[in-house]
Amino acid sequence: MMSCLVFSLSLLLIFLHSCTLTLAQTSATVPAPSGPTNITKILEKAGQFTTFIRLLKTTQAGDQINTQLNNSKQGMTVFAPTDNAFSSLKAGTLNSLSSQQQVSLVQFHLLPNFISISQFQTVSNPLRTQAGDTSPGDFPLNVTTLGNQVNVSTGIVDATVANTIYTDGELAVYQVDKVLQPLSIFASPAPAPAPAPAPATLNLKKKSPAALSPSSGSDDAVVDDSGAGGVNVHGVAVLGLGVFLFVFWL
């Protein structure tokens, strides 16, 4: 009887141990693709990052990430916008960017060191991105945390880290719900200042003769001694002299 009880307990323990192993395997992190670390393969396996993968390839930023991860121990952190995040941009936004601007946009989503979720609580703002190595003032990136929630601000958009796609102690890939738009690319240019008014000019034109005629009411009017409508001064003088001589002759 006792042996039967011990046997039953043994079977129960074996069954419970088997269930524990099954649950542990179910909750484990999905392993990375085999071979050297490859950011595009990680994103392809996660799904919903088609646009970001295309940018990584066209700008060759994906190759640079893989080279850095496989040839150094610096680590890297990637903020990966989903396809829905890119679709929320204004139509034609990506096509309107120059090749260099597309490179800077992708690099703005890359941090040149590994940062875990818990480490975001102690980092100093603004974070240094791959795009901000030469001109950090044009690419400010700040993070704030609330518990385990991490928010990322660029000065134009505020995004949220929605999920951890991949982490291995050297590479961390986080899903963000918005495209991180740097100020140097997406900020609206300041309006041009209004032109200064032209200086006032004095009108120095000479007056026309008509403006100087007596009819204009000017004090400088001249006496017309030859016209029919004026007094002939010379004629009066001659007439007076003739009268004087006539009287004297008499």
Side-chain angles (χ1 to χ4, degrees), residues 9-83:
L9 290 174
S10 299
L11 290 176
L12 180 61
L13 290 174
I14 293 172
F15 175 78
L16 291 175
H17 180 67
S18 176
C19 291
T20 302
L21 289 176
T22 301
L23 290 174
Q25 292 172 355
T26 302
S27 60
T29 304
V30 176
S34 59
T37 303
N38 188 304
I39 182 63
T40 56
K41 288 185 178 180
I42 291 173
L43 293 172
E44 286 171 353
K45 191 167 186 177
Q48 67 178 338
F49 296 100
T50 304
T51 304
F52 191 54
I53 292 172
R54 177 171 57 82
L55 283 174
L56 288 172
K57 291 180 178 179
T58 57
T59 61
Q60 298 183 352
D63 294 336
Q64 295 173 4
I65 295 172
N66 297 332
T67 300
Q68 179 174 328
L69 291 172
N70 294 310
N71 295 281
S72 70
K73 298 296 181 182
Q74 291 181 346
M76 182 168 288
T77 301
V78 179
F79 293 116
T82 62
D83 291 334

Side-chain angles (χ1 to χ4, degrees), residues 26-245:
T26 302
S27 60
T29 304
V30 176
S34 59
T37 303
N38 188 304
I39 182 63
T40 56
K41 288 185 178 180
I42 291 173
L43 293 172
E44 286 171 353
K45 191 167 186 177
Q48 67 178 338
F49 296 100
T50 304
T51 304
F52 191 54
I53 292 172
R54 177 171 57 82
L55 283 174
L56 288 172
K57 291 180 178 179
T58 57
T59 61
Q60 298 183 352
D63 294 336
Q64 295 173 4
I65 295 172
N66 297 332
T67 300
Q68 179 174 328
L69 291 172
N70 294 310
N71 295 281
S72 70
K73 298 296 181 182
Q74 291 181 346
M76 182 168 288
T77 301
V78 179
F79 293 116
T82 62
D83 291 334
N84 287 336
F86 279 102
S87 64
S88 65
L89 294 174
K90 184 179 179 180
T93 296
L94 293 180
N95 291 333
S96 67
L97 301 180
S98 66
S99 298
Q100 182 55 50
Q101 287 176 327
Q102 290 185 5
V103 171
S104 297
L105 176 62
V106 174
Q107 291 178 336
F108 190 57
H109 290 73
L110 312 178
L111 309 183
N113 55 320
F114 172 84
I115 302 179
S116 66
I117 287 291
S118 60
Q119 288 174 329
F120 279 118
Q121 299 177 4
T122 58
V123 296
S124 299
N125 287 318
L127 298 179
R128 186 168 66 95
T129 70
Q130 293 286 70
D133 289 343
T134 56
S135 52
D138 295 333
F139 297 91
L141 187 68
N142 299 285
V143 297
T144 56
T145 59
L146 181 60
N148 289 329
Q149 179 176 321
V150 178
N151 300 316
V152 187
S153 176
T154 72
I156 295 181
V157 297
D158 297 317
T160 300
V161 174
N163 188 27
T164 300
I165 300 171
Y166 177 83
T167 180
D168 61 2
E170 292 186 4
L171 171 65
V173 184
Y174 300 113
Q175 173 185 327
V176 288
D177 61 349
K178 293 181 181 179
V179 177
L180 305 182
Q181 303 175 34
L183 284 171
S184 63
I185 297 177
F186 292 94
S188 300
T201 57
L202 296 176
N203 187 0
L204 300 179
K205 292 182 178 180
K206 293 182 178 180
K207 293 182 179 181
S208 63
L212 299 177
S213 64
S215 61
S216 65
S218 172
D219 293 335
D220 297 327
V222 295
V223 178
D224 183 6
D225 60 353
S226 60
V231 178
N232 194 328
V233 178
H234 298 291
V236 172
V238 172
L239 179 61
L241 180 60
V243 171
F244 174 77
L245 291 175

